[in-house]
Each structure stands twice: as C-alpha cells, then as structure tokens.
Amino acid sequence: MEITTKRSNPPVRATEPPVEPRGPRNALARHWSRQLAEARRSWRLNWQLYLLVIVPVAYFVIFKYIPISNAVIAFKDYNVIKGVWGSDWVGFKNFELFFSNPVFGTLLKNTFILAFYLVLASFPIPIILAIALNEIRGGLFKRTVQLLTYAPYFISTVVAVSMTILILSPRLGIVNDALGLFGIPAVDFLGDPDYFRHIYVWSDVWQTTGYSAVIYMAALAGIDPALHEAAKIDGASRWQRIRNVDLPGIMPTAVIILILGVGNMMAIGFEKAFLLQNDLNLAQSEIIATYVYKTGLVNADFSMATAVGLFNSVVNLCLLLFVNFAAKRITGKGLWG
Amino acid sequence: MSALTTSPTSKLRRKQAAKERIREPFRDRVFVITVTVMLVVILALVLLPLIYIVANSFSSASAVSAGKVTFWPVDFSVRAYKVALSNPQILRGYYNSLIYAVCGTLISVTLTVAIAYPLSRKRFFGRNVLMTVLIFTMLFSGGLIPTYMVVQDLGMLNTRWALLIPNAIGVWQVIIARTFFANSIPEDLHEAAMLDGASELRYLRSVVLPLSKPLLAVLALMYVIFQWNTYFDALVYLKDQDLFPLQIVLRNVLILNQRNVGVADVAQQLQQQQLANVLKYALIVVSSLPVLIIYPFVARHFNKGVMVGAVKG
C-alpha cells in the first residue's frame, strides 16, 4: 500500500491496487509494471474508445496484415485445395525462376526508368508554377490559373488515358494534325514503345502539376515577409529575391517531397501503365505491377505472382529506408522525426 | 474602376499603388510580364486538351470522324450526348458508381473517424503502437494476390462489398483526421465535458464532430473522388457486368473499343463507326462532369486537407 501514497496527486480516483512488484526492482520490471498501470488507467477512462477502434483495427488486420501472412505462398507451391498453410514448401524456387526469366531484366529496367523519369519530371514544374503564381498580384487571373491548373487532378485515370489516346491518335488526333501542318508524317505514338515513357510521364505532369503546386504555394506563403522587405531595401530584383529568399525557403518542403517520390518509386501505379499498354508498346510498358496482375489473375499462377509482388515490396521498402536514412544525414530530419 | 475613382480612400490607395509601380525597376516589370506570359502558356497547355475534347463532343459524327474539329465544335450537335445518356450500360455504370461513392464514403468516413479520434487522445494507451501498425501498412503490403485471396475467402468476390470494404480506410486520411482532432479541438472542451459527466463517446458525438465539419468535408471529398475515379478494384474483383462502376464501362468503350454501345446494325457500319468516335468524346465529358462541377467549391477544402496532412501531428 506504500505505492498509493507515493502518487502525489491522484488524477481522478486512485482505487487501483499497487501493481509494482515487491521483489527485486530492476528497471525493466518497473518499466513494465508502470506500463501496465498506465494501460489499466487508460482502459478505465477510455474503454469506449477501445470499443470504437475494434472495427477499424479488425479492418487493418484482415485486409492488410493477413495478406502479409498470406504472402508466404511466395515460398510455396500454392494449391487451392490445400490452402495457404497446407501447400508444400518450395523455398526460393519461385524467386529463382523469376530472376532467371529473361523478362526479369526488362521488367526491372522498365519499372525503374519509368519511375525515375516520373520523379525527375514531376519535381521542378510544380515549383516553377508555384513561384510564378506567387510573383503576380492576387486577382482574378491568379485565382483562375490556380483553379484551372488544379482541375486535371480530379479527372480519373481511365478518362485521362482515353484523352491521351484520342489526342495522340494517328488518324484523328490533333497532335498529328499539327505535325501534318509542318509536313511531318503521322506518328503512331501509342504503337511505338519508345514513346510510352514520355506519354506516361507528361500526361502525369499535366494531371498533377496544379495539385502539387498547392503545397509549394503554402510553403511560399510561410516565408517571413521581413526577409523580402530586407532584400527589397537592399535593392534585390525580383529574380534575385526568388533565388535567395523563395528557393531556400521552400527547400525543406521540396526535399521531403523528392524523398517521398524516390521512396515510392517502385510502387508506381498499375492503373495507368495497364491502360496505356497495348501489344505494340509492351517492350517498354510492361512493368512489375502489370506483370503481377497478368501472372496472378490472368494466368492464375498465385505463387509466382506473389513472389514477384513480394520482391517489389521488399525493394520498395529498402529504397524507402535508405532514402530516409540519407535524408536524415543530409537534412538532419527524416520522414518520421 | 468607377468605384475606385470616386471613393477618396481608394484614390489614396491608387496613388500609393502608382507610386509603388513607379518605384519598381524596369527589369522587375519585364520580369512580371515574362512570368504572366509563362502562366498564360501553362494555362493554355492545361486547358487546350480539355477544350479539344469538349469541342469534339459537341460536333457532328461525320466532322469528328473526318478530323475537322480543333477547338470549336463543327456542325454543332448533341446527338452523342443523347446516345450516351440513353445507353443502358452507361446509365447502369453511373448508377453503380453513385452507390459506390455514397456508401463507400459513408463507411470510410465513419471508420476513419473511429480510429483517428482515439489516436488523437494523448491518454489513449497504445496509440503509438497502433499508429506504427497503421503506418507500416503504408510501407509494406502483402501484394495483389494475397489480398485477393482474403477477399475471396470472405466471399466478397463479385459483390458490391468488394469495392466498399477492402480499401475502406486510408492511412493518409487517418493521419489528416488525427492531426485535426489533436490540433483544432481545444483540450479545455474535453475537461469541461468530462466534468459535466459526459462519456468519451458522448463527447465525440456532441462536441468533437460538430466542430469538425471542415474535416468531415475534406475526408468525404477525398473518398468520393477516390471511389468515383478508381477502377482497379472493380477490374480485379468484379465479373458481373451489372455491378460494373462507370470507370470500367468507360474503359471497355473508350480504350478496349468494345462496340456494343450505340446502334448494333451491320448495315450502318460506317455511321456506327462515326458515332462510336464522337461518343467517346461525349462520354469523357459526361463521366468527368460531376467531379469537375463540384471541384471549384471543394478545391479550397481540399487544399486545407493537403496542408493538414503535411503538418506532423
């Protein structure tokens, strides 16, 4: 009972019995018993909140963590009748098959180049847009530009890809009409693998620039106006103020966004690549995500598809951890504090 | 302008502005003009594809098929819209997408709040562990097939539930909501409510939620737009045509060129082909319209949501 008196000001009602062990009071045991006391206290005060999280937690367990455990079939020869745990172990056979498959090199190359190109191309343009918007006086024009450049973000992937296909169509598309004016023969952009990456990346830039600029606009608004005033008094031109005040001001935001982009490179979306894909441009448009879909759901090779997907997830996780580590070294701040 | 010249204060302001303008050096004025021109170019690059699509959708089938349309309708016609809006497959897709958007959003917002609010309470034991558990799912996932197997085992395959449940909670949205609850609801209110004998649930219902309307709006919008625009889950989980959301119908018509939309008469093949072309443009407009109509009103909320999420809680 000595513990109850030790609590100098009991928060609500200190009716809990002492939980600290009487025996050897090493630090670890004390830590855990304090945790337990805290948990009990929290349960008494917040039991309704614990009821509240039951369903969402169940959601995460069922739809996020059970799939992770299901991923063991990557190391098995999955058989529907035997189930996930009853199927026979095959070790790394699926991975070895995948790595020795000639398609492996192409997939890896396609995925990496596409993702890297996307990160590089979609990084500077929103910054330029945000700075340009920041330079002009607030008015109807500024608001219009901001609102309208934002609009494509709300268009679905299916529609965006359809628009791309229609606009680039060799027979009817306006791009080939324009090329025709200069006497250039029609180009089948989607039928040529060499154009696939440019189409993918630049249509993405078209869709996301306005949206991404919003974050930089906020960062620019957060820059201390005194810095601008001081620069003005010192006779800095607008261009000099952008270079020496604005750019350093948004640098932390830019670094974080670049890091997130690189960290998520391997998670590059299935949706768009799959829609832009056709038999003619497959040489460059087949990426890991689309390959997983085809192997798993079209050819019903569950184990192989899971192995490929797992490989992708692991590479992505490593990339993210590495990038986070690098960010910590460079900026002194990682993504998670 | 007339208001500017009459009121004395605005006169003063105008004088000041004029002074400022004179003080701005020549190179800066050139710079501002350059920036404005650049913005006009960017705006044109964003808008021209959209205008091209709209112009085509309002043109006659023969003009579209001859490639005559640029940025203004040729032989103005709304026939494509009439055909699109009377097609049972497309209407069905519209109806299904509405169901998915409304029900999915209700489920998603409820579940997101249910986990984000406890996570925002400082005295909620286990919040750090729970948050780590959530964030880990952003970094690592079992992948397509293992998730598919779960959905299959639950018997959700080829049912509406497959589009509503497996992606119900976004971790990003949980972070946004948690940050909002932690930073925008004063802690004093909690103390006051507890002194008045309110339970946690009562406090959530009667104090927190009424104060969180902007947050709920942001969450609802994010989920509505996700549900309206996504097609991947439907592609993977649905086989039954009657359950297809609009995006899958669009994909079949626009990208896979399935011609069972429109008139199915072999004798009129040329006409049908022409109609199919213009129909694509009309469909793009019709399917994007709901989202594009609401977005100017929601853009501000959306921005706020993006910013809330950017601030670490």
Side-chain angles (χ1 to χ4, degrees):
Chain A
M1 287 299 128
E2 75 217 49
I3 315 299
T4 34
T5 52
K6 215 177 84 183
R7 284 188 188 162
S8 49
N9 50 347
V12 185
R13 260 183 300 150
T15 49
E16 287 294 307
V19 282
E20 230 162 312
R22 286 181 171 279
R25 301 190 170 188
N26 59 53
L28 198 68
R30 220 175 308 153
H31 169 77
W32 282 111
S33 62
R34 213 175 295 139
Q35 289 282 306
L36 192 65
E38 182 66 27
R40 282 192 187 166
R41 221 185 82 81
S42 176
W43 171 257
R44 201 175 60 237
L45 291 172
N46 300 325
W47 61 273
Q48 289 185 326
L49 297 184
Y50 288 98
L51 292 186
L52 208 56
V53 298
I54 287 176
V55 178
V57 167
Y59 162 84
F60 279 99
V61 169
I62 294 169
F63 291 102
K64 303 290 165 185
Y65 282 90
I66 292 182
I68 292 178
S69 78
N70 275 355
V72 294
I73 65 166
F75 305 96
K76 290 179 165 225
D77 181 15
Y78 179 66
N79 182 316
V80 188
I81 298 150
K82 289 183 185 169
V84 172
W85 297 101
S87 296
D88 304 325
W89 292 95
V90 293
F92 284 89
K93 195 188 104 194
N94 289 315
F95 291 92
E96 280 161 18
L97 268 176
F98 176 55
F99 294 149
S100 60
N101 189 332
V103 88
F104 170 69
T106 321
L107 281 180
L108 207 60
K109 201 181 94 190
N110 285 346
T111 310
F112 256 113
I113 294 178
L114 184 64
F116 200 64
Y117 185 11
L118 184 65
V119 170
L120 282 190
S122 52
F123 177 62
I125 297 174
I127 299 181
I128 295 171
L129 177 63
I131 287 178
L133 281 170
N134 199 43
E135 282 302 308
I136 59 170
R137 246 168 240 275
L140 191 64
F141 176 66
K142 182 176 175 172
R143 263 180 290 146
T144 312
V145 174
Q146 219 185 335
L147 197 66
L148 290 179
T149 49
Y150 202 155
Y153 180 74
F154 293 92
I155 290 173
S156 76
T157 314
V158 174
V159 167
V161 168
S162 316
M163 284 177 62
T164 313
I165 293 174
L166 287 170
I167 287 168
L168 296 177
S169 148
R171 212 168 45 82
L172 301 173
I174 192 165
V175 171
N176 273 311
D177 283 354
L179 291 179
L181 290 180
F182 298 102
I184 301 167
V187 185
D188 183 7
F189 289 101
L190 280 146
D192 188 337
D194 288 338
Y195 286 111
F196 171 79
R197 285 176 195 138
H198 303 298
I199 295 170
Y200 186 106
V201 168
W202 293 106
S203 62
D204 218 81
V205 168
W206 177 76
Q207 267 202 287
T208 57
T209 296
Y211 172 76
S212 310
V214 169
I215 296 165
Y216 292 112
M217 295 281 289
L220 284 169
I223 291 173
D224 187 354
L227 290 174
H228 274 289
E229 290 303 322
K232 251 189 226 170
I233 289 164
D234 287 347
S237 70
R238 276 171 176 267
W239 174 242
Q240 283 169 322
R241 273 186 278 138
I242 290 177
R243 267 184 43 199
N244 299 312
V245 180
D246 285 344
L247 281 182
I250 58 173
M251 203 44 93
T253 314
V255 169
I256 294 278
I257 286 179
L258 193 62
I259 288 169
L260 279 173
V262 174
N264 276 319
M265 254 173 53
M266 293 298 277
I268 187 159
F270 164 92
E271 292 208 339
K272 196 162 170 185
F274 186 67
L275 290 174
L276 276 172
Q277 213 170 56
N278 56 47
D279 292 342
L280 296 171
N281 65 20
L282 214 52
Q284 294 199 7
S285 63
E286 187 81 304
I287 60 171
I288 292 180
T290 55
Y291 184 76
V292 169
Y293 171 78
K294 287 176 190 168
T295 316
L297 292 178
V298 181
N299 299 338
D301 188 349
F302 276 25
S303 282
M304 178 53 100
T306 305
V308 178
L310 199 61
F311 165 76
N312 194 40
S313 293
V314 169
V315 172
N316 195 41
L317 184 62
C318 293
L319 210 60
L320 207 81
L321 293 178
F322 169 76
V323 157
N324 187 47
F325 170 77
K328 255 186 193 157
R329 293 296 297 269
I330 297 165
T331 66
K333 223 174 115 186
L335 294 177
W336 306 287
Chain B
M1 271 297 145
S2 60
L4 272 180
T5 45
T6 48
S7 131
T9 47
S10 54
K11 219 177 204 172
L12 196 71
R13 213 177 293 147
R14 203 166 54 116
K15 256 187 196 164
Q16 277 175 345
K19 246 190 207 165
E20 232 173 71
R21 218 174 296 145
I22 288 162
R23 224 184 281 151
E24 191 150 66
F26 176 70
R27 53 180 182 183
D28 277 1
R29 265 181 291 159
V30 172
F31 184 74
V32 170
I33 292 169
T34 321
V35 165
T36 312
V37 171
M38 198 179 80
L39 284 175
V40 171
V41 171
I42 292 179
L43 192 61
L45 285 175
V46 170
L47 284 187
L48 286 182
L50 296 171
I51 295 171
Y52 174 72
I53 298 291
V54 175
N56 267 289
S57 74
F58 282 111
S59 300
S60 73
S62 54
V64 170
S65 295
K68 281 187 199 154
V69 187
T70 49
F71 299 117
W72 197 253
V74 177
D75 303 337
F76 185 87
S77 149
V78 289
R79 176 135 177 267
Y81 286 96
K82 279 186 189 153
V83 174
L85 290 176
S86 60
N87 181 283
Q89 225 185 320
I90 290 161
L91 290 179
R92 184 85 199 164
Y94 234 99
Y95 168 74
N96 284 336
S97 276
L98 272 179
I99 293 184
Y100 297 133
V102 172
C103 299
T105 304
L106 280 178
I107 295 173
S108 295
V109 171
T110 311
L111 292 182
T112 305
V113 169
I115 192 159
Y117 174 68
L119 281 173
S120 76
R121 302 291 326 155
K122 286 196 185 60
R123 305 301 305 256
F124 183 74
F125 185 80
R127 74 200 279 257
N128 291 331
V129 176
L130 198 54
M131 206 59 220
T132 313
V133 165
L134 258 62
I135 288 183
F136 182 73
T137 66
M138 281 175 117
L139 308 179
F140 191 81
S141 77
L144 169 67
I145 298 299
T147 312
Y148 178 87
M149 287 160 64
V150 170
V151 175
Q152 194 176 30
D153 289 344
L154 291 171
M156 285 184 180
L157 228 50
N158 217 3
T159 67
R160 288 194 195 278
W161 297 110
L163 301 198
L164 301 176
I165 306 295
N167 276 317
I169 307 180
V171 178
W172 190 239
Q173 278 71 18
V174 173
I175 295 174
I176 290 174
R178 186 189 74 146
T179 312
F180 180 91
F181 290 140
N183 297 343
S184 306
I185 312 283
E187 188 57 30
D188 299 353
L189 290 179
H190 186 257
E191 270 170 40
M194 292 302 128
L195 280 178
D196 287 348
S199 67
E200 283 286 345
L201 282 184
R202 178 70 199 268
Y203 171 67
L204 174 61
R205 201 180 66 226
S206 307
V207 179
V208 174
L209 287 184
L211 287 174
S212 305
K213 277 175 198 146
L215 171 83
L216 297 178
V218 168
L219 291 181
L221 286 169
M222 287 179 152
Y223 284 122
V224 161
I225 286 169
F226 169 78
Q227 279 288 355
W228 189 267
N229 283 346
T230 190
Y231 81 93
F232 181 60
D233 284 350
L235 178 77
V236 171
Y237 298 132
L238 298 184
K239 293 271 178 304
D240 186 355
Q241 295 230 344
D242 286 344
L243 300 178
F244 281 173
L246 188 60
Q247 299 299 328
I248 291 281
V249 179
L250 287 179
R251 171 175 173 261
N252 293 343
V253 177
L254 295 172
I255 294 170
L256 302 184
N257 278 318
Q258 280 178 9
R259 290 270 157 67
N260 47 2
V261 170
V263 234
D265 192 332
V266 193
Q268 301 172 304
Q269 206 163 20
L270 178 69
Q271 227 187 340
Q272 187 193 333
Q273 168 74 42
Q274 289 183 341
L275 187 65
N277 280 334
V278 69
L279 192 60
K280 287 182 180 178
Y281 295 97
L283 265 183
I284 287 178
V285 177
V286 166
S287 65
S288 308
L289 217 53
V291 176
L292 288 182
I293 285 176
I294 57 167
Y295 108 90
F297 304 101
V298 307
R300 263 187 37 216
H301 282 301
F302 221 82
N303 291 354
K304 265 186 223 152
V306 174
M307 293 334 297
V308 171
V311 181
K312 277 193 242 180

